[in-house]
Amino acid sequence: MKTLILTLISVSLVNNVVLSQFLGLCPFLGVSKQTKTALSMGGAVIFVITIASAVTNLLYRLLVLFHVEYLETVSFILIIAALVQLVELFLKKIF
Amino acid sequence: MEKYLKPLYNGIIKENPTFVLMLGMCPTLAVTTSAINGMGMGLTTMTVLIMSNFLISLLRNIIPSRMRIPGYIVIVASLVTVVQLLLQGYIPSLYDTLGIYIPLIVVNCIILGRAEAFASKNPPLLSMMDGIGIGLGFTLALTCIGLVREILGSGTAFSVPLPFSFEPITIFVMAPGAFFVLAFLTAIQNKLKLPSATNTKESSLKCGGNCVECYGHQCQINKSLLKEELKK
């Protein structure tokens, strides 16, 4: 439990993904003009990353089982692209 | 021959990916802690860009329009995997420095942007020259930013200590320094009214007149806007 809370604080505040690790700058520069778009982008990213992390972890274990770790980049990208399309459909249905 | 040299001028000066198009900011800010790192990242991206432009241009008539984005992504991801394995084997020091930013070349906006804007509409040799031009522009931009940050932040240039000594401003080689340098560059561009992403002239065309970004989805939006204009 302590590890989870420490991880949460570390990734969101100490090693902030955008400001400290420089990942996701293109959307950051694009949506941070208005609070509304920033919040929507944040919500979508939370949704995609949670599901994508879980699925890609399982997929990576499968790749290691077959000794084909070099396929991780291609397979992760395809999974994430599919999930983003899913999120788009989801958002269109709800909003 | 003239036709093949035009993309070089285009990529380095007129449509420089960092200063004009403002694409691929993640690696720009993250790996430019020193000039050598910036140059290494730029050359790696240039290699991937040249090969991906060439391949996508060869396949441009075969990939159906609706499947272009997943198709391009698979091609670029495979190329980056190859480059990553080669770097890991032959230049391990560069591999360790660039770290996770090598797989991030796959989603670098420059690669996909040029694939859609140029390689999908032009013959292979021309696309390869465009890849070389944009890649050189990117490498030059990264090396310059890396040089500025290295001189100010650690008092060395290309790992050679400078002849005059001064107390280095360490913040420049850390995260905030990158944002500072980016802000200064954009401020200089705005002041001198140089062409850049933040400095496009107001155009009388309904579509905004931004021809650089007129491709893919934006192209369809622009076409419908212009059609409405003609109807009036």
Side-chain angles (χ1 to χ4, degrees):
Chain A
M1 189 61 197
K2 197 162 73 162
T3 330
L4 281 180
I5 297 187
L6 280 176
T7 314
L8 197 67
I9 296 182
S10 136
V11 174
S12 59
L13 294 175
V14 179
N15 288 331
N16 184 288
V17 190
V18 176
L19 301 174
S20 193
Q21 296 179 31
F22 293 121
L23 304 172
L25 276 177
C26 291
F28 169 69
L29 292 175
V31 308
S32 47
K33 265 190 181 171
Q34 301 171 320
T35 321
K36 180 162 164 274
T37 47
L39 280 173
S40 331
M41 179 59 118
V45 168
I46 292 177
F47 190 66
V48 174
I49 286 189
T50 317
I51 304 184
S53 300
V55 174
T56 49
N57 185 1
L58 295 172
L59 185 66
Y60 188 68
R61 286 169 200 248
L62 196 68
L63 291 179
V64 165
L65 199 63
F66 286 110
H67 301 293
V68 280
E69 291 95 339
Y70 51 84
L71 287 182
E72 66 168 358
T73 309
V74 185
S75 52
F76 287 179
I77 294 259
L78 288 174
I79 296 259
I80 294 171
L83 275 170
V84 170
Q85 295 285 5
L86 202 69
V87 164
E88 207 184 323
L89 286 174
F90 206 57
L91 287 178
K92 270 201 197 143
K93 192 106 168 72
I94 295 188
F95 297 111
Chain B
M1 189 57 198
E2 174 69 35
K3 183 170 78 158
Y4 291 112
L5 290 179
K6 189 165 173 294
L8 280 178
Y9 169 73
N10 200 34
I12 301 179
I13 302 181
K14 212 163 82 135
E15 281 186 359
N16 186 295
T18 313
F19 301 134
V20 178
L21 301 179
M22 281 235 186
L23 297 176
M25 283 285 115
C26 287
T28 309
L29 297 183
V31 307
T32 45
T33 47
S34 78
I36 290 280
N37 291 350
M39 194 152 68
M41 184 62 170
L43 290 174
T44 316
T45 311
M46 182 164 90
T47 318
V48 176
L49 186 59
I50 294 174
M51 291 195 288
S52 86
N53 262 10
F54 185 62
L55 278 175
I56 289 175
S57 177
L58 283 175
L59 296 171
R60 72 186 185 283
N61 292 324
I62 304 178
I63 303 179
S65 178
R66 298 180 72 109
M67 288 302 291
R68 24 171 240 286
I69 298 289
Y72 297 167
I73 289 184
V74 169
I75 294 176
V76 178
S78 323
L79 284 170
V80 168
T81 310
V82 167
V83 167
Q84 183 181 7
L85 291 171
L86 285 173
L87 269 186
Q88 197 173 9
Y90 290 115
I91 321 179
S93 57
L94 187 62
Y95 179 78
D96 288 329
T97 326
L98 295 181
I100 50 164
Y101 292 99
I102 302 179
L104 284 185
I105 295 178
V106 183
V107 290
N108 195 331
C109 304
I110 297 178
I111 314 264
L112 276 175
R114 291 324 279 182
E116 247 204 88
F118 203 91
S120 59
K121 301 175 191 153
N122 287 290
L125 206 54
L126 206 58
S127 302
M128 209 159 76
M129 293 308 290
D130 177 70
I132 297 178
I134 298 273
L136 278 178
F138 190 57
T139 310
L140 274 163
L142 283 189
T143 314
C144 287
I145 298 181
L147 199 62
V148 166
R149 282 182 73 189
E150 193 183 356
I151 292 179
L152 287 175
S154 24
T156 64
F158 288 101
S159 309
V160 170
L162 293 173
F164 52 89
S165 71
F166 65 98
E167 189 68 29
I169 316 171
T170 321
I171 198 174
F172 269 99
V173 289
M174 299 197 304
F179 283 108
F180 288 157
V181 173
L182 183 63
F184 277 136
L185 279 172
T186 321
I188 293 177
Q189 280 176 292
N190 283 345
K191 180 67 183 169
L192 299 176
K193 300 245 192 309
L194 297 172
S196 80
T198 50
N199 229 354
T200 44
K201 302 193 291 259
E202 282 304 314
S203 165
S204 57
L205 293 174
K206 214 50 159 115
C207 62
N210 192 358
C211 297
V212 164
E213 302 214 322
C214 180
Y215 50 80
H217 182 58
Q218 189 63 34
C219 173
Q220 288 169 334
I221 297 178
N222 287 351
K223 269 194 195 154
S224 55
L225 283 172
L226 287 171
K227 257 192 213 157
E228 277 171 29
E229 174 86 3
L230 282 175
K231 270 191 202 153
K232 283 192 207 160

